[in-house]
Amino acid sequence: MQTLLLTKEDVGRLICMRDVIAAVEEAYKAFNSDQVVQPDYIGIHLPPPRGEVDFKLGYNKANEVISMKASSGGFIDNPTAHGVPSGMGTILLFDARSCALNCVMDGSLITGLRTGAAGAVSVKALARKDARKVASIGTGNQARMQIRAINEIMTIEEIRAWDSHPDTLAKYKADIESEFGISVVTAHSKRAAVEQADILVTTTRGKGSVVEADWVKAGTHIVAIGTDQRGKQELDPEIFRNAKVVVDSMAQCAEKGETWHPLNRNIIARDDIHGEIGEILLGRKPGRENDDEVTIFDSTGMAIQDNLTADRIYRNAIDRGAGTFFEFFRS
Amino acid sequence: MQTLLLTKEDVGRLICMRDVIAAVEEAYKAFNSDQVVQPDYIGIHLPPPRGEVDFKLGYNKANEVISMKASSGGFIDNPTAHGVPSGMGTILLFDARSCALNCVMDGSLITGLRTGAAGAVSVKALARKDARKVASIGTGNQARMQIRAINEIMTIEEIRAWDSHPDTLAKYKADIESEFGISVVTAHSKRAAVEQADILVTTTRGKGSVVEADWVKAGTHIVAIGTDQRGKQELDPEIFRNAKVVVDSMAQCAEKGETWHPLNRNIIARDDIHGEIGEILLGRKPGRENDDEVTIFDSTGMAIQDNLTADRIYRNAIDRGAGTFFEFFRS
């Protein structure tokens, strides 16, 4: 039995953001078509200065692939103490027809890519067609990934960016302007960034509200990325009161997404949540219905996004003859 | 970062049963010394003729290793339809200090080995010192593995074996006699096998009681292997009424081991369970206290057994320069 091994470099060469966006759309649709088995993930927390390692499993009946992603993060001493990044990842792909191990690939890049793509998928479904200005609260790696993905599906005229670290902000401006040729205005306040935005992207992984309700103008689409665990928060829960709220997974977002906060404070009820994004992509529920509504996409991240993104990479590798085959046993 | 790849053949060459028994003893002691984080495993069930794939995670603080075993079984059409075995396995070992992926090894052999070793560890702790006769109810792969392991730690004078399939039974007799030189009597009934045994090993994975209480003579040690899921059963629950019951994990055995049946029928209460085997190995609780008591070891299998067995194989490979290094990324 041959197993394909793919390095981080292979993975980077084998996928473009356009493919990832297509894979994530397919994932959301599969999720809302009863094609997905996605057990609760398992996390192991290590004591500081170490972080956490999560194991996320997804089975997609549509392509008969079972994926397992082991993903670590927050090991802040790794670069100095162990000479490796603070977060790493590994993905296994099994052929669900036999459970043969088809592929072991480095998983460092996929979480970032599929999370970026998630934002872009929501922009396609929920942002105004004339949206041009993006506000970015947070300017780290995922903030860049969001721009990389959104830039694939619309023309971004200007980005207003804010970060609590001025150095990070300056570097973001330089990088985005040189990589994408999009003008970045470094905002002197969060409010200044938010109040002119057509699309607001939050990636701070913050632990308290960073965006106030009265800064958000009518017609804004909010991509809420940073909250994927209980305890994290980025948005004033009041923003949810009159917004059209769309989630990746109702179960996850109500339990540990940004949506938990307004639910917990009874600002909205579960029934006020418009739906899961897969339902919109499948045409079962409307997306944006007018230019004035505020739309929120709460992304907590799902194993099925990894599954379809990694499967796309694997199939690209097979098509192009990339990677290294290894025989774990003779059959 | 270098990751060691080990084939099934490598794994087979790198470990002997004596090492596995030591690893499993160490695992049980670690489990009862608050050194182990072992989340509930995740199982994905596929529709027939496919089987199940389980993902078992274990973190051992003592050696700072995190293990993940993906293990499939019951894919009965695999040999004919896909040219692969009906069950396969893969184990990942992470250095818990950094979460670097140290090793990817074939996991086909480890479950069988560590389960065999579990029985032997219980024999050391619980069987009579003058035990010589083993009864084996069930004569498949795990029945052989039990003999292979028990044979390492005591002298087996005779095996009385029974199986519902006469062909399997005959093959077992031929194989055991040639491999170990131990005389095997093929019993004409289960009762005939059981009633003379000093040690009774059950590996049928049956779904109803196969051993009656009044067949079991005083002083017998019972190694109950076959029940690791709700719905499986091998022993008349009445056997538990006056026996010394030892489990690998109280939580697992009460929930889905052989011990669930007498608990469910109120034949014993949780407090009647003598303890976990690690407590005996650590000297916190007595093992066998006289030659008349019937002892039962209920083994449901724990991720920490895989962890320590796989780690032993990995360390042997490093010591002997075995395996193939692969660089998933440059650090």
Side-chain angles (χ1 to χ4, degrees):
Chain A
M1 189 199 64
Q2 296 285 350
T3 298
L4 187 66
L5 309 176
L6 296 175
T7 65
K8 182 174 178 178
E9 205 179 354
D10 291 330
V11 170
R13 270 188 287 109
L14 285 164
I15 192 122
C16 63
M17 184 53 92
R18 201 164 278 270
D19 277 355
V20 183
I21 293 170
V24 169
E25 273 186 331
E26 209 185 325
Y28 288 145
K29 286 184 191 171
F31 180 68
N32 285 99
S33 306
D34 286 331
Q35 294 296 304
V36 172
V37 178
Q38 199 175 247
D40 281 347
Y41 75 90
I42 297 177
I44 295 180
H45 294 261
L46 288 305
R50 293 184 279 176
E52 181 182 348
V53 54
D54 294 333
F55 296 81
K56 289 188 176 163
L57 279 167
Y59 166 36
N60 183 8
K61 297 176 192 178
N63 63 3
E64 289 295 1
V65 170
I66 294 171
S67 62
M68 194 290 305
K69 181 178 79 173
S71 177
S72 63
F75 287 67
I76 53 178
D77 283 359
N78 269 3
T80 50
H82 304 288
V84 290
S86 60
M88 292 174 277
T90 303
I91 297 180
L92 307 182
L93 293 180
F94 299 90
D95 182 336
R97 292 166 301 181
S98 63
C99 253
L101 180 63
N102 274 350
C103 186
V104 183
M105 71 174 75
D106 183 78
S108 315
L109 299 175
I110 286 183
T111 307
L113 287 166
R114 58 85 156 158
T115 307
V121 171
S122 84
V123 166
K124 271 170 83 173
L126 293 164
R128 293 198 327 273
K129 294 301 161 220
D130 64 347
R132 293 287 176 272
K133 293 185 181 177
V134 174
S136 186
I137 302 295
T139 57
N141 285 337
Q142 184 48 230
R144 289 149 208 256
M145 205 58 92
Q146 289 291 325
I147 296 302
R148 189 172 154 194
I150 295 171
N151 188 50
E152 288 287 335
I153 54 134
M154 63 171 267
T155 304
I156 305 174
E157 210 164 73
E158 184 189 271
I159 298 167
R160 295 195 174 228
W162 181 88
D163 199 289
S164 54
H165 300 89
D167 293 353
T168 316
L169 180 56
K171 188 151 178 3
Y172 170 89
K173 174 179 164 67
D175 290 349
I176 296 285
E177 291 189 339
S178 78
E179 189 175 346
F180 302 105
I182 303 168
S183 154
V184 176
V185 177
T186 60
H188 52 270
S189 72
K190 288 175 285 187
R191 178 176 196 146
V194 170
E195 64 189 3
Q196 298 215 0
D198 301 319
I199 296 166
L200 166 62
V201 178
T202 60
T203 56
T204 61
R205 299 175 167 270
K207 300 209 165 168
S209 163
V210 291
V211 176
E212 299 304 317
D214 59 0
W215 304 348
V216 177
K217 73 172 182 192
T220 302
H221 173 57
I222 302 175
V223 182
I225 294 292
T227 302
D228 60 350
Q229 280 188 7
R230 192 69 68 83
K232 293 185 184 172
Q233 185 181 12
E234 298 188 303
L235 302 177
D236 178 354
E238 282 295 333
I239 301 173
F240 284 74
R241 192 180 293 277
N242 299 306
K244 176 176 274 180
V245 181
V246 176
V247 297
D248 54 2
S249 149
M250 189 70 92
Q252 287 186 189
C253 290
E255 171 68 24
K256 57 186 181 176
E258 194 66 45
T259 307
W260 179 81
H261 296 283
L263 286 171
N264 182 50
R265 289 180 47 186
N266 295 315
I267 291 168
I268 59 168
R270 249 175 183 266
D271 284 350
D272 297 324
I273 298 170
H274 180 63
E276 291 175 326
I277 191 154
E279 298 178 282
I280 295 174
L281 299 176
L282 288 165
R284 290 194 206 138
K285 285 189 178 168
R288 170 175 291 273
E289 288 165 286
N290 63 61
D291 281 354
D292 291 329
E293 62 188 353
V294 170
T295 52
I296 301 174
F297 176 55
D298 183 7
S299 161
T300 49
M302 299 199 289
I304 197 64
Q305 294 169 254
D306 302 318
N307 181 302
L308 274 147
T309 305
D311 184 45
R312 182 74 61 128
I313 291 164
Y314 169 68
R315 285 187 289 114
N316 286 348
I318 296 291
D319 289 347
R320 299 176 201 173
T324 307
F325 279 104
F326 188 80
E327 193 171 41
F328 279 101
F329 63 86
R330 288 219 182 95
S331 53
Chain B
M1 188 198 65
Q2 296 285 350
T3 298
L4 188 66
L5 308 177
L6 297 175
T7 66
K8 182 173 178 179
E9 204 180 354
D10 291 331
V11 169
R13 270 188 286 110
L14 285 165
I15 191 120
C16 63
M17 185 52 94
R18 203 164 276 273
D19 277 355
V20 184
I21 292 170
V24 169
E25 272 187 334
E26 209 185 322
Y28 289 145
K29 287 185 191 170
F31 180 68
N32 286 98
S33 305
D34 287 329
Q35 295 295 304
V36 172
V37 177
Q38 200 176 247
D40 282 346
Y41 76 89
I42 297 178
I44 295 181
H45 295 262
L46 287 305
R50 292 184 278 176
E52 181 181 346
V53 54
D54 293 334
F55 295 83
K56 289 187 176 162
L57 278 167
Y59 166 37
N60 184 6
K61 297 176 191 177
N63 64 3
E64 290 294 1
V65 170
I66 294 171
S67 62
M68 193 289 307
K69 181 177 79 171
S71 179
S72 63
F75 286 67
I76 52 178
D77 284 358
N78 269 3
T80 50
H82 303 287
V84 292
S86 60
M88 293 175 276
T90 304
I91 296 180
L92 306 183
L93 293 179
F94 299 90
D95 182 336
R97 293 167 300 182
S98 63
C99 253
L101 179 64
N102 274 350
C103 186
V104 183
M105 72 173 73
D106 184 78
S108 315
L109 300 173
I110 287 183
T111 307
L113 288 165
R114 58 88 156 155
T115 306
V121 170
S122 84
V123 166
K124 272 170 81 172
L126 292 164
R128 296 197 325 272
K129 295 300 159 221
D130 64 349
R132 294 289 176 269
K133 292 184 182 176
V134 174
S136 186
I137 302 295
T139 55
N141 286 337
Q142 184 49 230
R144 289 148 207 256
M145 204 60 89
Q146 289 292 325
I147 298 302
R148 190 172 154 195
I150 294 169
N151 188 51
E152 287 287 335
I153 55 135
M154 65 171 265
T155 303
I156 305 174
E157 210 164 74
E158 183 188 271
I159 298 167
R160 294 193 176 231
W162 181 88
D163 199 289
S164 54
H165 300 90
D167 293 354
T168 317
L169 180 56
K171 188 151 180 0
Y172 171 89
K173 175 177 164 69
D175 291 348
I176 295 286
E177 291 187 340
S178 79
E179 188 176 348
F180 302 106
I182 303 169
S183 154
V184 176
V185 177
T186 60
H188 50 274
S189 71
K190 289 174 284 187
R191 179 176 195 146
V194 170
E195 64 189 4
Q196 297 215 2
D198 301 320
I199 295 165
L200 166 61
V201 178
T202 59
T203 56
T204 63
R205 300 176 166 270
K207 301 210 164 167
S209 162
V210 292
V211 177
E212 300 303 317
D214 59 1
W215 304 347
V216 178
K217 74 172 183 193
T220 303
H221 173 57
I222 302 173
V223 182
I225 293 292
T227 302
D228 60 351
Q229 280 187 8
R230 192 69 70 82
K232 292 185 184 172
Q233 184 181 12
E234 298 188 303
L235 302 178
D236 178 354
E238 282 296 333
I239 302 174
F240 284 75
R241 190 180 295 278
N242 300 306
K244 177 175 273 180
V245 181
V246 176
V247 295
D248 55 2
S249 148
M250 190 68 95
Q252 286 186 189
C253 291
E255 171 68 24
K256 57 185 181 178
E258 195 65 44
T259 306
W260 177 82
H261 296 283
L263 286 171
N264 182 49
R265 289 179 47 185
N266 295 314
I267 291 168
I268 59 168
R270 251 176 181 265
D271 284 351
D272 297 324
I273 298 170
H274 180 64
E276 291 174 326
I277 191 152
E279 297 177 284
I280 296 174
L281 299 176
L282 289 165
R284 290 197 207 137
K285 287 189 177 169
R288 171 174 291 273
E289 287 166 287
N290 63 61
D291 281 353
D292 292 327
E293 61 188 352
V294 170
T295 51
I296 301 174
F297 176 56
D298 184 7
S299 159
T300 47
M302 299 199 290
I304 196 65
Q305 293 169 254
D306 301 318
N307 181 303
L308 274 146
T309 305
D311 185 44
R312 182 74 60 130
I313 292 165
Y314 169 69
R315 284 186 291 113
N316 287 348
I318 296 291
D319 288 349
R320 300 175 201 173
T324 307
F325 279 105
F326 188 80
E327 194 172 40
F328 280 101
F329 62 87
R330 289 220 182 95
S331 52

